[in-house]
Amino acid sequence: MADEQSTDQSTDQSTDPTFVEEQEHLSAIYAQLEEIHADLTEEIEVRHKNAAQDLRDLSDEIRIDFGGADETMETLAAIETLNSVIDTYNQQHDFTVEKLGRAIMLLGQPYFAKVRLRMRPGRPPRDVYIGSAGITDKNRMPLIVDWRNPIAETYYNQEMGPTSYVVDGRVRHVELELRRQYDIVRDKLRAYFDTTVAIEDSLLLSALTRHHTEKLQAITATIQREQNEVVRHEDVPALLVSGIAGSGKTSVLLQRIAFLFYRNRETLSPDQVWLFTPNSVFETYIDNVLPTLGEANPNTFTWKNFLASLGLDNRGTGADAGLDSLRALEAAMDGLALTEDDFREVRRGETVLLKVSQVKSAVEKFSQFDVGPRLIALVKDELHDRLSRRIAQMAHGEEAMEETLALDVEQQMELFGEVIAPDSDDDTARYAKKLLESRFADAHDDIENLTWLRLDRIGQRMSGRASLSAAEWLYLKLLISGHGADDARFVMIDEVQDYTTTQLAVLARYFPRAHFLLLGDPNQAIYEGCASFDEMREIFSASHGSVEECRLTTSYRSSPEITELFASLLPEEERITISSVHRPGVEPTITEVADGEKSVDAYLDAVRSLVAEASREEGLAAVIVADRRRAVWLAKQLEGEVTHVSGNDPMPAEGVVLIDLALAKGLEFDRVIVADAQAAVYDDTPLSRRRLYTAISRAMHRVDIVSQGPLTPLLARD
């Protein structure tokens, strides 16, 4: 697809002065990276040896003496000094290791692009080299800038001439004179491309012709303009991204996470970011992308895993119940009164710390407030105070004091940070209190987690039903307490079209302060009862104030022929906006096995023939069937010819797999065989249309359709 806007300089390299110049620059940069790598490696080794010697010397100087108050204080001060030295060495070590990690990453591919920017009129232009990580030389001058650096936006914007980027809220206006991409492996320049329009880039097309791997790969070098708008979108309460199949939604989502980590690198930790994936196979498929970008993976859950982490996996999820059950709970909060039977004691093991009557009196103390977050916050504070008083009372008991005095020196140091020598009962009780506070610390967590409330009993009375689903139970707890994961800052939901209104309403309330990124394709909603995009807008507008939107309409996965086939299943107004950037490929094949006495044998022969052909090709092919039951049956028929992937099974890098549609969602394969495209499976309904669209669009280079009986009317040709 190269034209006058895309110059491929991959031939006649020896006579191309620009190629020679770029190779010389690459060689110089690579030599510096090798030097940085060697220096950092040596620095770590030397610092480790010096640190070990310093710590030995300091340790030798410490004389452990707890014989008296002065000696004890000196001993503890010496230990504290040693700990401070250890902390300093650890900080220096972590910083050096982090820079070494970036150097190692860049030695694989130092950079993938360059922009030539004229920062001010009348001043010489500046070349900026962009890579998957940033690194500076010995003088702290940038050798390579991170792709997430604000200045790199000039590359992704693809605006030749006057353009701009934003730094610390200020717009910098510059002139983009050159936008160059590179095909580099270690210190070897294989080709360079000067481009202005990204979807015509040879580098992108080269990347797209790759064979499928068992892992999703980072797309940093080939992020396109519409994708970049999502990756670098301003931080908003909720961003809803609608993208066609193969538009790179999942890759964009992960690049967005990496971008947020970079932009908030001083304040954002991985445990403040939550990623919801459709299934465990998909989770494994994406698990290496962020580490290859130098970032840690966030909290990653499926909906079921999320409920299990809250101890709710022993009840029905309630995902399909609809919002009516949640709204009924909201309505029942008005006028809700708690009775003594709604409370339970606070205990740890066999020890009752707060009786039911004490919990009841704590609630009654604030009876002027309705049941809800304000009342619960006041009651929790009161229960914490009562628990502390209870522990203080227990500390004066003979049993607690005797146990305290019986502690050996090691236990005393661990609990109190000193060797104790109490000279009175009050002094002994003070240490006993610390012992009991350590032992019963989890009781304070119980108070925070509302274990003193019988939420099931309360919910049964509110709903008029015998039991609550996991979604209802969690929603009720959120209504009463007002708190979920309050420290979460970003929540990403992939394949959001497969979530119900109930699931989204629960997540919106559970993460009240987090900003949401919702990615999906309404045409891949393969389950009944899932939330429409209109319902998503309504839910998050109500919970987070506003919803902004982006669209991704270009397919980077499938060939034009495959894209045309799955686009034919969409409404006419959507088809005209969809395009593929690939060069023409192989036309899809459709095999209709007619009903008859030997139709099953003929059908299996047709599938086996395609499987055999696919097994001789490079890459990974998939036989996709509509549901798990059909997958089990076909797996028996094709035993030894395909790998049946189910549940948590790993995805191989090559060969032919058999997989049901629910697990195939979000994945891509070099070749797809849709093995049950008959009318009995895919009838002429909106749901079947979406399911067939999803199955076909998993294919990158080739798709084969087989029906056992009359072909689905969705693929009928006029």
Side-chain angles (χ1 to χ4, degrees):
M1 288 193 180
D3 63 6
E4 72 277 6
Q5 295 174 312
S6 178
T7 306
D8 185 341
Q9 304 292 343
S10 58
T11 58
D12 298 327
Q13 297 170 353
S14 61
T15 60
D16 178 3
T18 301
F19 186 95
V20 173
E21 180 183 342
E22 289 288 3
Q23 178 61 68
E24 289 175 351
H25 178 83
L26 172 60
S27 298
I29 291 293
Y30 202 83
Q32 291 186 69
L33 288 173
E34 289 183 315
E35 184 179 358
I36 291 171
H37 178 271
D39 289 346
L40 291 173
T41 302
E42 182 181 5
E43 181 180 338
I44 290 173
E45 293 176 354
V46 171
R47 183 172 288 161
H48 178 73
K49 292 178 182 177
N50 292 341
Q53 186 60 52
D54 288 349
L55 294 177
R56 280 194 296 268
D57 294 343
L58 285 170
S59 298
D60 290 342
E61 294 175 7
I62 296 176
R63 296 292 179 263
I64 304 297
D65 187 353
F66 296 108
D70 291 342
E71 291 81 359
T72 298
M73 290 299 294
E74 289 180 7
T75 299
L76 293 176
I79 293 173
E80 182 61 30
T81 299
L82 180 60
N83 288 336
S84 177
V85 171
I86 292 173
D87 288 342
T88 300
Y89 276 126
N90 285 339
Q91 291 173 4
Q92 293 172 342
H93 176 269
D94 291 346
F95 175 81
T96 306
V97 167
E98 190 272 335
K99 187 173 182 180
L100 177 61
R102 283 185 279 128
I104 292 172
M105 182 189 305
L106 293 174
L107 284 170
Q109 182 191 45
Y111 47 84
F112 55 78
K114 175 177 80 174
V115 289
R116 180 167 294 159
L117 301 173
R118 190 174 297 277
M119 312 303 287
R120 297 177 184 174
R123 299 287 297 274
R126 170 188 170 192
D127 284 348
V128 178
Y129 288 83
I130 303 168
S132 57
I135 204 161
T136 56
D137 62 17
K138 294 179 180 179
N139 300 316
R140 296 185 179 275
M141 296 299 293
L143 289 177
I144 302 161
V145 303
D146 192 294
W147 68 275
R148 296 163 291 187
N149 189 295
I151 200 170
E153 190 168 1
T154 58
Y155 166 74
Y156 292 111
N157 280 345
Q158 303 153 20
E159 295 174 346
M160 299 301 294
T163 187
S164 63
Y165 60 97
V166 179
V167 182
D168 297 329
R170 298 180 59 185
V171 179
R172 295 289 304 273
H173 295 280
V174 296
E175 186 90 8
L176 177 59
E177 296 186 351
L178 177 71
R179 181 179 182 272
R180 180 167 290 166
Q181 295 177 309
Y182 303 99
D183 184 359
I184 290 174
V185 176
R186 299 185 67 82
D187 60 344
K188 294 295 186 287
L189 175 64
R190 301 200 298 190
Y192 74 88
F193 316 94
D194 291 344
T195 63
T196 59
V197 180
I199 67 170
E200 298 185 6
D201 289 348
S202 299
L203 184 60
L204 170 64
L205 294 172
S206 175
L208 292 174
T209 58
R210 74 189 189 284
H211 284 291
H212 168 89
T213 68
E214 75 274 24
K215 300 286 188 179
L216 183 67
Q217 304 297 308
I219 61 164
T220 307
T222 56
I223 294 174
Q224 301 303 291
R225 183 168 184 171
E226 66 175 13
Q227 297 170 327
N228 186 56
E229 289 176 2
V230 178
V231 173
R232 282 179 157 79
H233 199 284
E234 65 177 312
D235 195 5
V236 294
L239 179 61
L240 178 61
V241 179
S242 173
I244 68 163
S247 58
K249 295 184 294 298
T250 300
S251 293
V252 165
L253 177 150
L254 295 169
Q255 303 290 334
R256 170 71 172 172
I257 294 175
F259 177 74
L260 290 171
F261 278 138
Y262 179 86
R263 189 171 66 180
N264 303 281
R265 55 191 175 276
E266 301 298 329
T267 61
L268 183 63
S269 62
D271 61 3
Q272 293 176 303
V273 181
W274 295 61
L275 170 60
F276 284 86
T277 65
N279 53 58
S280 54
V281 171
F282 188 78
E283 183 179 336
T284 303
Y285 179 57
I286 66 173
D287 66 358
N288 72 324
V289 174
L290 287 169
T292 61
L293 296 173
E295 304 293 351
N297 280 325
N299 298 300
T300 306
F301 289 96
T302 63
W303 170 253
K304 288 186 177 179
N305 290 343
F306 168 66
L307 294 179
S309 72
L310 300 173
L312 299 173
D313 52 336
N314 60 345
R315 57 178 83 208
T317 69
D320 301 326
L323 287 181
D324 287 347
S325 63
L326 303 186
R327 288 171 178 159
L329 291 174
E330 288 184 34
M333 287 291 296
D334 187 21
L336 175 64
L338 300 177
T339 69
E340 185 170 354
D341 290 338
D342 294 329
F343 309 125
R344 61 163 58 96
E345 60 196 14
V346 177
R347 65 185 301 151
R348 299 305 296 173
E350 299 299 319
T351 305
V352 176
L353 298 169
L354 295 175
K355 298 177 181 178
V356 169
S357 59
Q358 292 173 293
V359 175
K360 177 175 179 288
S361 66
V363 174
E364 290 176 343
K365 182 176 180 179
F366 306 103
S367 58
Q368 69 270 34
F369 299 108
D370 293 333
V371 177
R374 186 175 183 185
L375 170 67
I376 296 302
L378 292 169
V379 173
K380 286 194 298 185
D381 287 344
E382 179 67 18
L383 292 176
H384 285 306
D385 289 342
R386 294 189 182 199
L387 177 59
S388 296
R389 292 198 297 270
R390 166 70 168 140
I391 289 174
Q393 180 187 36
M394 294 171 64
H396 282 84
E398 183 176 338
E399 182 180 346
M401 288 196 287
E402 287 181 356
E403 183 180 357
T404 301
L405 293 173
L407 295 171
D408 61 32
V409 171
E410 185 177 338
Q411 291 170 322
Q412 292 176 36
M413 288 299 297
E414 182 179 352
L415 283 168
F416 313 126
E418 60 179 331
V419 177
I420 65 174
D423 54 13
S424 67
D425 284 351
D426 285 343
D427 204 15
T428 303
R430 179 168 59 86
Y431 288 111
K433 181 183 176 185
K434 289 184 178 180
L435 169 63
L436 295 176
E437 284 174 340
S438 174
R439 176 172 300 164
F440 298 125
D442 288 347
H444 286 285
D445 294 335
D446 289 343
I447 290 173
E448 285 297 316
N449 292 328
L450 307 190
T451 58
W452 46 275
L453 272 179
R454 297 182 181 274
L455 287 174
D456 272 304
R457 187 182 187 284
I458 297 169
Q460 289 164 9
R461 192 167 70 251
M462 294 170 68
S463 66
R465 287 182 283 106
S467 62
L468 296 181
S469 68
E472 291 170 327
W473 189 95
L474 180 55
Y475 200 75
L476 175 59
K477 183 179 180 181
L478 295 170
L479 288 173
I480 289 177
S481 70
H483 293 288
D486 295 344
D487 59 342
R489 292 178 57 186
F490 298 100
V491 176
M492 317 290 179
I493 303 179
D494 202 5
E495 302 289 338
V496 71
Q497 76 280 346
D498 289 335
Y499 283 71
T500 65
T501 54
T502 297
Q503 290 172 300
L504 295 176
V506 169
L507 293 176
R509 190 174 283 269
Y510 188 80
F511 299 100
R513 300 176 184 172
H515 286 187
F516 277 77
L517 177 60
L518 313 167
L519 291 97
D521 179 357
N523 296 301
Q524 292 187 65
I526 66 171
Y527 306 112
E528 290 281 13
C530 293
S532 68
F533 273 44
D534 285 340
E535 288 172 321
M536 295 177 199
R537 296 182 191 98
E538 182 179 349
I539 289 169
F540 284 93
S541 293
S543 64
H544 284 66
S546 63
V547 177
E548 296 196 17
E549 298 186 49
C550 293
R551 290 200 66 201
L552 301 172
T553 60
T554 303
S555 173
Y556 302 100
R557 173 192 298 149
S558 304
S559 68
E561 293 80 5
I562 297 171
T563 302
E564 181 182 1
L565 180 61
F566 69 70
S568 71
L569 298 168
L570 302 180
E572 179 64 34
E573 62 273 14
E574 292 187 44
R575 294 182 211 169
I576 60 175
T577 64
I578 292 177
S579 61
S580 168
V581 301
H582 285 271
R583 295 184 176 94
V586 180
E587 287 289 341
T589 69
I590 297 178
T591 302
E592 182 178 13
V593 178
D595 282 331
E597 184 178 343
K598 297 184 178 181
S599 62
V600 173
D601 291 338
Y603 163 73
L604 291 174
D605 287 344
V607 173
R608 284 195 177 97
S609 176
L610 292 170
V611 167
E613 183 180 329
S615 65
R616 293 191 294 269
E617 300 172 349
E618 290 186 55
L620 181 65
V623 180
I624 298 179
V625 293
D627 54 51
R628 189 177 305 172
R629 178 184 59 81
R630 298 187 64 83
V632 170
W633 177 81
L634 191 55
K636 291 180 180 179
Q637 314 308 312
L638 302 178
E639 187 173 1
E641 300 173 65
V642 298
T643 300
H644 183 202
V645 175
S646 62
N648 298 322
D649 294 342
M651 187 70 65
E654 57 185 18
V656 183
V657 299
L658 172 65
I659 189 170
D660 64 78
L661 182 57
L663 286 179
K665 278 183 56 61
L667 306 180
E668 62 182 29
F669 304 93
D670 291 293
R671 180 171 181 172
V672 164
I673 301 167
V674 181
D676 51 4
Q678 55 266 27
V681 175
Y682 294 102
D683 56 1
D684 191 2
T685 62
L687 179 61
S688 290
R689 189 176 294 272
R690 296 193 298 269
R691 290 171 64 80
L692 187 57
Y693 166 97
T694 303
I696 293 172
S697 63
R698 301 307 92 205
M700 297 168 60
H701 307 305
R702 179 165 177 176
V703 66
D704 303 289
I705 312 291
V706 182
S707 74
Q708 184 181 357
L711 181 69
T712 169
L714 300 173
L715 295 178
R717 300 294 188 220
D718 294 334

